[in-house]
Amino acid sequence: MVRPSDSAYDELRQVVAGDVDKRPAVILRPVDAADVATALAVARESGLPLAVRCGGHSGAGHSAVDDGIVLDVRNLKTLEIDATGKTAWAGSGVTAGEYTAAAGEHGLATGFGDTGSVGLGGLTVGGGIGFLVRKFGMTIDNLLAVEVVTADGRIHQVDAESDPDLFWAIRGGGGNFGVVTKFHYRLHELGDFVGGMLIQPATPEVVAGVLQIASTAPEDLSAIVNVMAAPPAPFIPEEAHGKLIVMTLLGYAGPAAEAEKILGPLRALATPIADTIHPMAYAEMFPPEDASYRPTAVGENMFVDSVDDAAVETILKQLTECDAPMRVAQIRPLGGAMARIPADATAFAHRDAAYMVNLAAFYTSPADRIAKHEWVTSFRDQLETGTPRAYVGFVGDEDNPERVRAAYPGATYDRLAALKRRHDPENLFRRNQNIPPA
């Protein structure tokens, strides 16, 4: 238990988002599921608002809370790898980078996101879309069971047989149904792997070409395409700083000779400004990070069925006209193994989307934040087609029921709300992209 007067308090209350500065009444740091149950009892009896945090990456600031309880699960670090059975039990405080490095020692991997410091707890209950998503599916597609503490303080072992409804909700429900203390994952053999970053000038032809190649490539390739202002990084020539670039981050789960069939056409689109793509261990996709880096940014997220020439022109126009020191349109081609899971198999329901798009802009002051939020919202409205769709892990607004509905369409939302009434009727777990009890 850490109080405001304790020396560790300021460090422990800090989250990744630089504009989140919450001061909880107490930080509780459990070491097992029984501790979590005790903490939930305190929250129920005191009536204090409760925030659950692991990696602290919530863009909406849900990892922290003013004058309430932060349940900090970062000490839940157990990791048991069954290399023969190709499964692993991991505590929710383990990070994606820690798990990936340990599994990689056995030539195995589970697909997570794109950042090593993200905690498995928040990432997994949201879905998990990263560098292996087209090859092995989302993180939740490789989830076999969980240990979860529900709002009443009971500790459950949940899988598709023991409680299929709760297991369905946990896989994409975004933390509305309990505190998961352990995850049981499927592991995949991952031998040869090619990964890294390719940076090229951002022209309509390059953007369209990268997306066409990445979306039609074999499922061994998963890519994250960032159209953005070039940062003043040492690996980017100074004359390119601030200019629009296409930074393609990719992972190819196969031999280098096969990857080259894709890399050749990619590189031929334009002379690379930087090219770090090479055969590597998959764990190298999660390099060490600067723990002091706390960006101030606003963002929007959506799923779209196409990014046509008109959309590419809109992306380049919006990024050119924006004055944010850093602004980006990130496009993730989907499909593959992720799309073969039925839409109603998990609480994540957007299996048929061709692309996930994230828009973001850094800001410099409170007034600038308002302006940049208006910019990303308008940008989203210009690209979004059809019924709004969103990924709960990247919804940035702290309290926006419309975006929650976009994450959970129609019957999915209704089923989640009914399960919320069963498992958390008082809405104890409400500091999230919330689904109130039906």
Side-chain angles (χ1 to χ4, degrees):
M1 181 170 64
V2 180
R3 302 172 183 272
S5 58
D6 293 330
S7 60
Y9 175 79
D10 281 329
E11 179 183 355
L12 291 176
R13 71 182 179 88
Q14 182 175 292
V15 296
V16 173
D19 53 358
V20 176
D21 186 29
K22 305 291 187 182
R23 300 190 65 84
V26 65
I27 301 170
L28 302 179
R29 310 196 72 202
V31 298
D32 56 23
D35 275 1
V36 171
T38 300
L40 297 184
V42 172
R44 289 195 310 271
E45 294 165 12
S46 67
L48 292 173
L50 172 70
V52 182
R53 75 155 291 166
C54 41
H57 281 260
S58 167
H62 290 143
S63 304
V65 66
D66 277 326
D67 303 319
I69 298 169
V70 169
L71 180 54
D72 180 348
V73 303
R74 282 178 288 178
N75 285 337
L76 301 181
K77 287 285 194 183
T78 57
L79 180 56
E80 302 168 7
I81 295 174
D82 177 1
T84 302
K86 297 186 178 64
T87 65
W89 276 101
S92 56
V94 176
T95 67
E98 292 167 342
Y99 179 107
T100 300
E105 294 178 2
H106 303 278
L108 302 170
T110 302
F112 296 119
D114 61 0
T115 304
S117 60
V118 171
L120 295 185
L123 182 150
T124 303
V125 298
I129 300 175
F131 294 118
L132 295 173
V133 67
R134 299 179 76 238
K135 178 70 171 179
F136 298 132
M138 300 174 68
T139 303
I140 54 174
D141 302 334
N142 297 284
L143 189 61
L144 303 173
V146 297
E147 177 185 81
V148 59
V149 187
T150 46
D152 57 8
R154 295 173 60 197
I155 302 170
H156 306 259
Q157 296 280 339
V158 174
D159 58 29
E161 283 72 43
S162 65
D163 193 334
D165 287 335
L166 182 55
F167 191 53
W168 175 88
I170 287 171
R171 289 175 293 162
N176 275 280
F177 298 92
V179 179
V180 179
T181 49
K182 290 182 183 178
F183 296 92
H184 193 203
Y185 296 108
R186 179 184 298 111
L187 285 159
H188 299 271
E189 290 187 9
L190 187 62
D192 293 337
F193 185 84
V194 177
M197 170 178 59
L198 179 68
I199 298 179
Q200 296 164 296
T203 66
E205 295 74 21
V206 171
V207 176
V210 170
L211 293 177
Q212 193 275 332
I213 292 170
S215 60
T216 59
E219 295 173 8
D220 299 309
L221 181 84
S222 295
I224 299 175
V225 182
N226 298 284
V227 187
M228 61 189 294
F235 53 84
I236 298 178
E238 187 174 349
E239 60 268 22
H241 292 178
K243 296 182 179 178
L244 292 188
I245 59 169
V246 181
M247 178 189 290
T248 304
L249 306 173
L250 62 84
Y252 187 88
E258 295 298 317
E260 193 57 39
K261 297 177 183 178
I262 301 165
L263 296 176
L266 273 175
R267 291 175 172 131
L269 291 170
T271 302
I273 297 170
D275 184 350
T276 70
I277 299 173
H278 65 284
M280 61 167 66
Y282 175 58
E284 292 180 52
M285 295 298 289
F286 301 103
E289 301 167 39
D290 180 0
S292 66
Y293 181 59
R294 302 185 66 224
T296 56
V298 290
E300 287 287 353
N301 163 265
M302 75 197 89
F303 291 97
V304 297
D305 294 325
S306 68
V307 181
D308 58 16
D309 290 345
V312 170
E313 292 287 354
T314 296
I315 289 169
L316 294 174
K317 180 177 184 292
Q318 289 294 316
L319 293 173
T320 298
E321 294 177 352
C322 181
D323 64 354
M326 182 62 64
R327 64 269 189 202
V328 60
Q330 180 189 90
I331 308 161
R332 304 192 186 202
L334 304 175
M338 168 185 170
R340 286 194 292 275
I341 304 295
D344 61 356
T346 66
F348 176 87
H350 303 304
R351 299 282 179 174
D352 60 343
Y355 301 94
M356 181 169 72
V357 179
N358 293 312
L359 309 172
F362 285 38
Y363 64 86
T364 56
S365 68
D368 191 38
R369 185 187 193 282
I370 295 173
K372 295 304 183 289
H373 186 267
E374 292 175 349
W375 177 78
V376 295
T377 301
S378 172
F379 196 174
R380 182 198 71 202
D381 291 344
Q382 293 176 60
L383 295 178
E384 203 163 43
T385 56
T387 303
R389 294 173 287 176
Y391 175 54
V392 71
F394 288 157
V395 174
D397 286 338
E398 182 175 332
D399 184 18
N400 188 335
E402 290 184 6
R403 298 311 289 170
V404 176
R405 285 279 190 169
Y408 304 115
T412 299
Y413 186 93
D414 295 341
R415 184 177 176 185
L416 287 168
L419 288 168
K420 180 76 169 181
R421 181 178 60 200
R422 182 192 307 173
H423 293 286
D424 185 14
E426 301 302 320
N427 207 8
L428 177 69
F429 303 115
R430 59 184 179 273
R431 190 147 181 77
N432 46 39
Q433 300 299 344
N434 193 236
I435 301 166

